[in-house]
Coordinates of all heavy atoms in Angstrom, one line a residue:
M1 N -11.4 6.3 58.5 CA -12.8 6.3 58.0 C -13.6 7.6 58.2 O -14.2 8.1 57.4 CB -13.4 5.1 58.5 CG -14.9 4.9 58.1 SD -14.7 4.2 56.4 CE -16.3 3.5 56.4
A2 N -13.4 8.1 59.5 CA -14.0 9.4 59.8 C -13.6 10.5 58.9 O -14.4 11.4 58.6 CB -13.9 9.7 61.3
G3 N -12.3 10.5 58.5 CA -11.7 11.5 57.7 C -12.3 11.5 56.3 O -12.1 12.6 55.7
L4 N -12.8 10.5 55.8 CA -13.5 10.4 54.5 C -15.0 10.8 54.7 O -15.5 11.5 53.8 CB -13.3 9.1 54.0 CG -14.0 8.8 52.7 CD1 -13.5 9.7 51.6 CD2 -14.0 7.3 52.3
V5 N -15.7 10.1 55.7 CA -17.1 10.3 55.8 C -17.5 11.6 56.3 O -18.5 12.1 55.7 CB -17.7 9.2 56.7 CG1 -19.0 9.3 57.0 CG2 -17.4 7.8 56.1
A6 N -16.8 12.2 57.2 CA -17.3 13.5 57.8 C -17.3 14.6 56.7 O -18.4 15.3 56.6 CB -16.4 13.9 59.0
P7 N -16.3 14.8 55.9 CA -16.4 15.9 54.9 C -17.5 15.6 53.9 O -18.2 16.6 53.4 CB -15.1 16.0 54.2 CG -14.1 15.3 55.2 CD -15.0 14.3 56.0
L8 N -17.7 14.4 53.5 CA -18.8 14.0 52.6 C -20.1 14.3 53.1 O -21.0 14.8 52.4 CB -18.6 12.6 52.0 CG -17.4 12.2 51.2 CD1 -17.2 10.7 50.9 CD2 -17.3 13.0 49.9
M9 N -20.3 13.7 54.3 CA -21.6 14.0 55.0 C -22.0 15.4 55.2 O -23.0 16.0 55.1 CB -21.7 13.2 56.2 CG -21.9 11.7 55.9 SD -23.2 11.1 54.9 CE -24.5 11.7 55.9
S10 N -20.9 16.2 55.8 CA -21.1 17.6 55.9 C -21.4 18.4 54.8 O -22.3 19.3 54.7 CB -20.0 18.2 56.8 OG -18.8 18.1 55.9
G11 N -20.7 18.1 53.7 CA -21.1 18.7 52.3 C -22.5 18.4 51.8 O -23.1 19.2 51.3
F12 N -22.9 17.1 52.1 CA -24.2 16.7 51.7 C -25.3 17.5 52.5 O -26.3 18.0 52.0 CB -24.5 15.2 52.0 CG -25.9 14.6 51.8 CD1 -26.4 14.6 50.5 CD2 -26.6 14.5 52.9 CE1 -27.6 14.1 50.3 CE2 -27.9 14.0 52.6 CZ -28.5 13.8 51.4
V13 N -25.1 17.6 53.9 CA -26.1 18.3 54.7 C -26.1 19.7 54.4 O -27.2 20.3 54.3 CB -25.7 18.0 56.2 CG1 -26.5 18.9 57.1 CG2 -25.8 16.6 56.7
I14 N -24.8 20.4 54.1 CA -25.0 21.9 53.8 C -25.7 22.0 52.5 O -26.5 23.0 52.4 CB -23.5 22.4 53.8 CG1 -22.9 22.6 55.2 CG2 -23.5 23.7 53.0 CD1 -21.6 23.0 55.2
D15 N -25.4 21.3 51.5 CA -26.0 21.3 50.2 C -27.5 21.2 50.2 O -28.3 21.9 49.6 CB -25.5 20.4 49.2 CG -24.1 20.8 48.7 OD1 -23.6 21.9 49.1 OD2 -23.3 19.9 48.2
R16 N -28.0 20.3 50.9 CA -29.5 19.9 51.0 C -30.3 20.7 52.0 O -31.4 21.1 51.7 CB -29.6 18.4 51.4 CG -29.0 17.4 50.4 CD -29.9 17.3 49.2 NE -29.3 16.2 48.4 CZ -29.5 16.1 47.1 NH1 -30.3 16.9 46.5 NH2 -28.9 15.1 46.5
F17 N -29.6 21.0 53.2 CA -30.5 21.5 54.3 C -29.8 22.9 54.8 O -30.6 23.7 55.4 CB -30.5 20.5 55.5 CG -31.0 19.2 55.1 CD1 -30.3 18.1 55.1 CD2 -32.4 19.0 54.7 CE1 -30.8 16.9 54.7 CE2 -32.9 17.8 54.4 CZ -32.0 16.7 54.4
G18 N -28.7 23.3 54.5 CA -28.0 24.4 55.0 C -27.1 24.3 56.2 O -27.1 23.2 56.8
A19 N -26.3 25.4 56.4 CA -25.4 25.3 57.5 C -26.0 25.2 58.9 O -25.4 24.7 59.7 CB -24.5 26.5 57.4
E20 N -27.2 25.8 59.0 CA -27.9 25.8 60.3 C -28.1 24.3 60.8 O -27.9 24.0 61.9 CB -29.3 26.5 60.2 CG -29.1 28.0 60.1 CD -28.9 28.3 58.6 OE1 -29.1 27.5 57.7 OE2 -28.5 29.5 58.4
W21 N -28.6 23.4 59.7 CA -28.8 22.1 60.1 C -27.5 21.3 60.4 O -27.5 20.5 61.4 CB -29.4 21.3 58.9 CG -30.9 21.6 58.9 CD1 -31.7 22.5 58.3 CD2 -31.9 20.7 59.7 NE1 -33.0 22.3 58.6 CE2 -33.1 21.2 59.4 CE3 -31.7 19.5 60.4 CZ2 -34.2 20.6 59.9 CZ3 -32.8 18.9 60.9 CH2 -34.2 19.5 60.7
L22 N -26.4 21.7 59.7 CA -25.1 21.1 60.0 C -24.7 21.4 61.4 O -24.3 20.4 62.2 CB -24.0 21.5 59.0 CG -22.6 21.0 59.3 CD1 -22.6 19.5 59.0 CD2 -21.7 21.7 58.4
W23 N -24.7 22.6 61.8 CA -24.3 23.0 63.3 C -25.3 22.4 64.3 O -24.9 22.0 65.3 CB -24.2 24.6 63.4 CG -23.1 25.0 62.6 CD1 -23.0 25.7 61.5 CD2 -21.7 24.7 63.0 NE1 -21.6 26.0 61.1 CE2 -20.9 25.4 61.9 CE3 -21.0 24.1 64.0 CZ2 -19.4 25.3 61.9 CZ3 -19.6 24.1 63.9 CH2 -18.9 24.7 63.0
G24 N -26.6 22.3 63.9 CA -27.5 21.8 64.8 C -27.3 20.2 65.1 O -27.3 19.8 66.1
L25 N -27.0 19.5 63.9 CA -26.6 18.1 64.1 C -25.3 17.9 64.8 O -25.2 17.0 65.6 CB -26.6 17.5 62.6 CG -27.9 17.3 62.0 CD1 -27.6 16.8 60.5 CD2 -28.9 16.3 62.8
C26 N -24.2 18.9 64.5 CA -23.1 18.7 65.3 C -23.4 18.9 66.8 O -22.8 18.2 67.7 CB -22.1 19.8 64.9 SG -21.4 19.4 63.2
A27 N -24.3 19.8 67.2 CA -24.5 20.1 68.7 C -25.2 18.8 69.2 O -24.9 18.4 70.3 CB -25.5 21.3 68.7
V28 N -26.1 18.2 68.4 CA -26.8 17.0 69.0 C -25.8 15.9 69.1 O -25.7 15.1 70.1 CB -28.0 16.6 68.0 CG1 -28.5 15.2 68.4 CG2 -29.0 17.7 68.1
V29 N -25.0 15.6 68.0 CA -24.0 14.4 68.2 C -22.9 14.8 69.3 O -22.7 13.8 70.1 CB -23.2 14.3 66.8 CG1 -22.1 13.4 66.9 CG2 -24.3 13.8 65.7
G30 N -22.6 16.0 69.5 CA -21.6 16.3 70.5 C -22.2 16.1 71.9 O -21.5 15.6 72.8
T31 N -23.5 16.5 72.0 CA -24.1 16.3 73.3 C -24.3 14.9 73.6 O -24.2 14.5 74.9 CB -25.6 17.1 73.3 OG1 -25.3 18.5 73.0 CG2 -26.3 17.0 74.6
V32 N -24.8 14.1 72.6 CA -24.9 12.7 72.9 C -23.6 12.0 73.2 O -23.6 11.2 74.2 CB -25.7 12.0 71.7 CG1 -25.6 10.5 71.8 CG2 -27.0 12.5 71.6
A33 N -22.5 12.3 72.5 CA -21.2 11.8 72.8 C -20.8 12.2 74.3 O -20.2 11.3 74.9 CB -20.2 12.2 71.8
G34 N -20.9 13.4 74.6 CA -20.6 13.8 75.9 C -21.3 13.1 77.0 O -20.7 12.7 78.1
A35 N -22.7 12.9 76.9 CA -23.5 12.3 77.8 C -23.0 10.8 77.9 O -22.9 10.3 79.0 CB -24.9 12.4 77.5
G36 N -22.7 10.2 76.8 CA -22.3 8.7 76.8 C -21.0 8.6 77.5 O -20.8 7.7 78.2
Y37 N -20.1 9.5 77.2 CA -18.8 9.5 78.0 C -18.9 9.7 79.5 O -18.3 9.1 80.2 CB -17.9 10.6 77.4 CG -16.5 10.7 77.9 CD1 -15.5 9.6 77.5 CD2 -16.1 11.5 78.8 CE1 -14.3 9.6 78.0 CE2 -14.7 11.6 79.4 CZ -13.9 10.5 79.0 OH -12.6 10.4 79.5
W38 N -19.8 10.6 79.8 CA -20.1 10.8 81.3 C -20.5 9.6 81.9 O -20.1 9.2 83.0 CB -21.1 12.1 81.4 CG -21.4 12.4 82.8 CD1 -20.5 12.8 83.8 CD2 -22.7 12.4 83.4 NE1 -21.2 13.0 84.9 CE2 -22.5 12.8 84.7 CE3 -24.0 12.1 82.9 CZ2 -23.7 12.9 85.6 CZ3 -25.0 12.3 83.7 CH2 -24.8 12.6 85.1
V39 N -21.5 9.0 81.3 CA -22.1 7.7 81.9 C -21.0 6.7 81.9 O -21.0 6.0 82.9 CB -23.4 7.2 81.0 CG1 -23.7 5.8 81.3 CG2 -24.6 8.3 81.1
L40 N -20.2 6.5 80.9 CA -19.2 5.6 80.9 C -18.2 5.8 82.0 O -17.8 4.8 82.6 CB -18.5 5.5 79.6 CG -17.3 4.6 79.4 CD1 -17.8 3.1 79.4 CD2 -16.6 5.0 78.2
M41 N -17.8 7.0 82.2 CA -16.8 7.3 83.2 C -17.4 7.1 84.5 O -16.7 6.9 85.6 CB -16.1 8.7 82.9 CG -15.3 8.8 81.7 SD -14.1 7.5 81.6 CE -13.1 7.9 82.9
D42 N -18.7 7.3 84.6 CA -19.4 7.2 86.0 C -19.3 5.7 86.4 O -19.1 5.4 87.6 CB -20.8 7.7 85.9 CG -21.4 7.8 87.3 OD1 -20.7 8.2 88.3 OD2 -22.6 7.4 87.4
R43 N -19.4 4.9 85.4 CA -19.4 3.4 85.7 C -18.1 3.0 86.0 O -17.8 1.8 86.6 CB -20.0 2.7 84.5 CG -21.5 2.8 84.3 CD -22.0 1.8 83.2 NE -23.4 2.0 83.2 CZ -24.1 1.1 82.4 NH1 -23.6 0.2 81.8 NH2 -25.4 1.3 82.4
V44 N -17.0 3.6 85.5 CA -15.6 3.1 85.7 C -14.9 4.0 86.7 O -13.7 4.3 86.6 CB -14.9 3.1 84.2 CG1 -13.4 2.5 84.4 CG2 -15.7 2.4 83.2
A45 N -15.6 4.4 87.6 CA -15.0 5.3 88.6 C -14.1 4.5 89.5 O -14.2 3.3 89.8 CB -16.1 5.9 89.6
V46 N -12.9 5.2 89.8 CA -11.8 4.6 90.6 C -12.1 5.0 92.1 O -12.4 6.2 92.4 CB -10.5 5.0 90.1 CG1 -9.4 4.4 90.9 CG2 -10.3 4.6 88.6
K47 N -11.7 4.2 93.1 CA -11.9 4.6 94.4 C -11.0 5.6 94.7 O -9.9 5.8 94.2 CB -11.5 3.3 95.3 CG -12.6 2.2 95.2 CD -12.2 1.1 96.2 CE -13.1 0.0 96.1 NZ -12.7 -1.1 96.9
D48 N -11.4 6.5 95.6 CA -10.6 7.7 96.1 C -9.3 7.3 96.6 O -8.2 8.0 96.4 CB -11.3 8.6 97.1 CG -12.5 9.4 96.4 OD1 -12.5 9.5 95.2 OD2 -13.4 9.7 97.2
D49 N -9.1 6.2 97.4 CA -7.9 5.9 98.1 C -7.0 5.2 97.0 O -5.8 4.9 97.4 CB -8.2 4.9 99.2 CG -8.9 3.7 98.8 OD1 -9.5 3.6 97.7 OD2 -8.9 2.7 99.7
D50 N -7.4 4.8 95.8 CA -6.6 4.3 94.9 C -5.9 5.2 93.9 O -5.3 4.9 92.9 CB -7.2 3.2 94.1 CG -7.5 1.8 95.0 OD1 -6.8 1.8 96.1 OD2 -8.3 1.1 94.6
T51 N -6.0 6.5 94.1 CA -5.7 7.4 93.1 C -4.2 8.0 93.4 O -3.7 8.8 92.6 CB -6.6 8.7 93.1 OG1 -6.7 9.3 94.3 CG2 -8.0 8.2 92.7
S52 N -3.6 7.5 94.5 CA -2.2 8.0 94.7 C -1.3 7.4 93.8 O -1.4 6.2 93.4 CB -1.8 7.7 96.2 OG -2.0 6.3 96.4
P53 N -0.2 8.0 93.4 CA 0.8 7.4 92.5 C 1.6 6.3 93.3 O 1.5 6.1 94.5 CB 1.7 8.6 92.2 CG 1.6 9.6 93.3 CD 0.2 9.4 93.8
A54 N 2.2 5.5 92.4 CA 2.9 4.3 93.0 C 4.1 4.8 93.8 O 4.8 5.8 93.5 CB 3.5 3.4 91.8
D55 N 4.4 4.2 94.8 CA 5.6 4.5 95.7 C 6.9 4.0 94.9 O 7.1 2.8 94.7 CB 5.4 3.8 97.1 CG 6.5 4.2 98.0 OD1 7.3 5.1 97.7 OD2 6.5 3.6 99.0
P56 N 7.8 4.9 94.7 CA 9.0 4.4 94.1 C 9.9 3.6 94.8 O 10.8 2.9 94.3 CB 9.7 5.8 93.7 CG 9.2 6.8 94.7 CD 7.8 6.3 95.0
T57 N 9.8 3.5 96.2 CA 10.6 2.6 97.0 C 10.2 1.2 96.9 O 10.8 0.2 97.4 CB 10.5 3.0 98.5 OG1 9.1 2.9 98.9 CG2 11.1 4.4 98.7
E58 N 9.0 0.9 96.2 CA 8.5 -0.5 96.1 C 9.0 -1.2 94.7 O 8.4 -2.0 94.2 CB 7.0 -0.5 96.0 CG 6.3 0.0 97.3 CD 4.8 0.0 97.2 OE1 4.3 -0.3 96.1 OE2 4.1 0.4 98.1
G59 N 10.3 -0.7 94.4 CA 10.9 -1.4 93.1 C 10.2 -1.0 91.9 O 10.3 -1.8 90.9
G60 N 9.5 0.1 91.8 CA 8.8 0.6 90.6 C 7.7 -0.2 90.3 O 6.9 0.1 89.2
Q61 N 7.2 -1.0 91.1 CA 5.9 -1.7 90.8 C 4.8 -1.0 91.5 O 4.7 -0.9 92.7 CB 6.0 -3.2 91.4 CG 7.1 -4.1 90.7 CD 6.8 -4.3 89.2 OE1 5.6 -4.4 88.8 NE2 7.9 -4.3 88.5
G62 N 3.9 -0.4 90.7 CA 2.6 0.3 91.2 C 1.6 -0.7 91.5 O 1.6 -1.9 91.1
R63 N 0.6 -0.2 92.2 CA -0.6 -1.0 92.6 C -1.5 -1.0 91.3 O -1.6 -0.1 90.6 CB -1.4 -0.5 93.7 CG -0.6 -0.5 95.0 CD -1.5 -0.1 96.1 NE -1.7 1.3 95.9 CZ -2.5 2.1 96.7 NH1 -3.2 1.5 97.6 NH2 -2.7 3.4 96.4
V64 N -2.2 -2.2 91.1 CA -3.2 -2.3 90.1 C -4.4 -1.7 90.6 O -5.0 -2.1 91.6 CB -3.5 -3.7 89.6 CG1 -4.5 -3.7 88.6 CG2 -2.1 -4.3 89.0
R65 N -5.1 -0.7 89.9 CA -6.4 -0.2 90.4 C -7.5 -1.1 90.2 O -7.7 -1.8 89.2 CB -6.6 1.2 89.7 CG -5.6 2.2 89.9 CD -6.0 3.4 89.2 NE -5.1 4.5 89.5 CZ -5.1 5.7 89.0 NH1 -6.0 6.0 88.1 NH2 -4.1 6.6 89.4
Q66 N -8.4 -1.3 91.3 CA -9.5 -2.1 91.2 C -10.7 -1.3 90.7 O -10.9 -0.2 91.3 CB -9.8 -2.8 92.5 CG -8.6 -3.6 93.0 CD -8.5 -4.9 92.1 OE1 -9.4 -5.4 91.6 NE2 -7.2 -5.2 91.9
L67 N -11.4 -1.8 89.8 CA -12.6 -1.0 89.2 C -13.8 -1.4 90.0 O -13.9 -2.7 90.3 CB -12.7 -1.3 87.8 CG -11.6 -0.8 86.8 CD1 -12.0 -1.2 85.4 CD2 -11.4 0.7 87.0
E68 N -14.6 -0.4 90.4 CA -15.9 -0.9 91.0 C -16.8 -1.3 90.0 O -16.9 -0.9 88.9 CB -16.4 0.5 91.7 CG -15.5 1.0 92.9 CD -16.1 2.0 93.6 OE1 -17.1 1.9 94.3 OE2 -15.6 3.2 93.2
G69 N -17.7 -2.1 90.3 CA -18.8 -2.4 89.4 C -19.3 -3.8 89.5 O -19.6 -4.7 89.4

């Protein structure tokens, strides 16, 4: 879906408003997406003591990480 909508919308924005508006909107969308990802990852933080890899001597069964929240 994005592969169809993005080129059409970018062509529309360039034709109507110019390339400066397109790059400005890309900067705004990218900043909002980055901030949203940062907030999301802050909420799904994993405890520091749960970041070690699984011990191979335990039969290949790793621990399930517990999410805070």
